[in-house]
Amino acid sequence: MQPIRPLWNSLLLFIVPIIIGQLLAPWQSTQMAYHLLQQKVTEIKMATEERNHELDIALSSQLAKFDFNCGANDMALLRDPRFYSTHIRLQGLELASGKSCSSLGLGIPLIHELNHDELPASKYGLTATTARFNTEQEVVAYARVGDNLAYWVLDNSWSHQLIQHSCTNCFYLEFTQRHQGMAPTLFPRGDRSIKTENSNYSQSFLDQRQLIKQTVWAGKALKEYALQQVKRYGLWIGIAVGCLLNAIYWLLRSYRRSLKGLLQTGLEHREFIPFYQPVVDTRSHQVVGFEALLRWQRGSELIPPNTFIDYAEEQQLILPMTEQLLQQVINDLPLLAPEQWVSVNVVAAHIEQPLLRTLLSDCHHPAPTRLTFELTERKPILDIQAATREITLLQQLGYHFKLDDFGTGYGGFAYLQSLGIRQIKIDKMFVDTIGTHDLKRSVLDAIIAFGRKSGMEMIAEGVETQEQADYLHQQGVYLIQGYVFGKPMSLTELADWQQEWQLQYPQSA
Ligand code: C2E
Ligand code: CA
Ligand code: CA
């Protein structure tokens, strides 16, 4: 089941934004419908302006060239494709002489129907054709030159196309033509039934010349179209958000699965716990103390420190880890015999800055006689002055320090001198030479000789055999830590181990 969960999560992260998008669509659709109406009005405004501009140029240049006699020049002008444009369906002249001609040839009765006397006397004007045989009325622009009349029947197919564009039968457009001294004429475009709907809505505007009022109506059909649009956008946005969330989810997951992420999660879950390894005094067989060794408890898995400690140090995670470990050690101290100490490993950063001091101060300086610290000489201390100051301050509070892995690293003797440390831990590397002809054997003897002479307290670690323990005892190294007596154990295992130890060595209690 476990590996399937991320897939479920991933699927949910993908599907949920899509569902939310679809559920929210009805709320957004009204707004979308208003937006689409607004957009349509803007489209119509722009198209009207563009058309008027084109007509202005065509009409005035044509007018200046007419002879007003329906002769060859006038006919050529009426049929000139430059003027006979997409916006002009038909154009013609009505002369004072009663003669008429048009781009179709002879004057057409449609225009005769225009009552000349009713036309306003202004030079330029707009009027409309009469609706016949159920045809639509059309806009007619005219100009008077003396008693002659030039007219242009405007092509309005652009408005039909525009009104149906992208959403068919969703808009109803009404041009209201205002004539001076005449009743307005209506030019309907689109689905007229929209105007009679109950919940319809509209927007009106006037053209530049304030002669034509245009009103765009929308209703149910646009709302439905808007809902479909919002659902469509919602689907794409949902898919995009779903993909984004999935990308973030898998990135975070892979980050958390990376060692750093895993360690951080481990810290959040307080998975770092101490194991205790006994230190035995071979003179009395008394268990004098323990070294607290870090273990990473991940579910049923127990991870030893060498797999992550260097990386944790590199990533500065060792500081919160030690803090977690120290707090548990402080909690565990009352469960151990009062004369037994516990030694905690620290890194240089703890004492190059007042980190350990702050940590102990935050815990109200617990048990200075029972809590000791090990500082390895395997890794160099960069700021020896700061380290000396911190160690001195902590020593003044009663805490003790041991120099771990003595002889294996950087500045063993120098550290002892400047840091004022009085305890050393002899590394397993040297202990292993006991009973062998290894050259390092002489180093072990030298270390022991140095320790005895300078009055250092010595702990030998990694002692695995009785032979090694006996040799060290003979050499005056009595404090032994190693598998020969006990491996690092959890607190519960340690309680059982202590009981058995006391049965074996009753005098040690
Ligand atoms: P160390 O401080 O030198 O710890 C002694 C290591 O030797 C421990 O390994 C212990 O389990 C192992 N050991 C003890 N007796 C024997 C023995 O007789 N035979 C063998 N083969 N091994 C023995 P562990 O627990 O795996 O720790 C390894 C290292 O991880 C430690 O070496 C120490 O450098 C580091 N470490 C452990 N806990 C902490 C911690 O809390 N903080 C820091 N900074 N480092 C830690
Ligand atoms: Ca140690
Ligand atoms: Ca060591």
Side-chain angles (χ1 to χ4, degrees), residues 277 291 293-295 305 309 318 325 345 347 374 404-405 428 461-464 482-483 488:
Q277 187 175 29
E291 179 175 359
L293 292 153
L294 197 62
R295 293 292 179 271
I309 213 96
I318 189 68
L325 182 93
N345 292 282
V347 293
E374 291 185 17
D404 201 359
D405 310 316
K428 179 174 184 298
E461 67 179 348
V463 182
E464 289 182 338
Y483 294 176

Side-chain angles (χ1 to χ4, degrees), residues 273-275 277 291-295 303-310 313 318 321-322 325-326 343-348 350 374 376 378-379 404-405 425 427-428 431-432 460-465 468 481-488:
I273 54 161
F275 261 42
Q277 187 175 29
E291 179 175 359
L293 292 153
L294 197 62
R295 293 292 179 271
I303 304 172
N306 42 9
T307 52
F308 61 86
I309 213 96
D310 285 340
E313 259 188 69
I318 189 68
M321 268 176 203
T322 306
L325 182 93
L326 190 62
S343 186
V344 171
N345 292 282
V346 291
V347 293
H350 278 116
E374 291 185 17
T376 181
R378 275 209 174 102
K379 287 173 188 154
D404 201 359
D405 310 316
K425 290 192 82 170
D427 195 72
K428 179 174 184 298
V431 173
D432 282 345
E461 67 179 348
V463 182
E464 289 182 338
T465 63
Q468 289 168 339
Q481 176 185 347
Y483 294 176
V484 66
F485 295 133
K487 289 191 172 186

Side-chain angles (χ1 to χ4, degrees), residues 343-344 346-347 350-351 356-357 360 371-375 387 390-396 398-404 416 419-425 456-457:
S343 186
V344 171
V346 291
V347 293
H350 278 116
I351 49 152
L356 183 59
R357 197 150 53 88
L360 290 167
L371 202 54
T372 73
F373 298 97
E374 291 185 17
L375 183 65
E390 282 302 309
I391 287 186
T392 311
L393 283 168
L394 287 163
Q395 280 168 340
Q396 282 164 2
Y399 293 104
H400 287 86
F401 283 80
K402 300 177 173 66
L403 193 61
D404 201 359
L416 286 178
L419 299 174
I421 294 176
R422 307 294 312 149
Q423 292 156 313
I424 55 173
K425 290 192 82 170
M456 292 276 166
E457 187 180 80

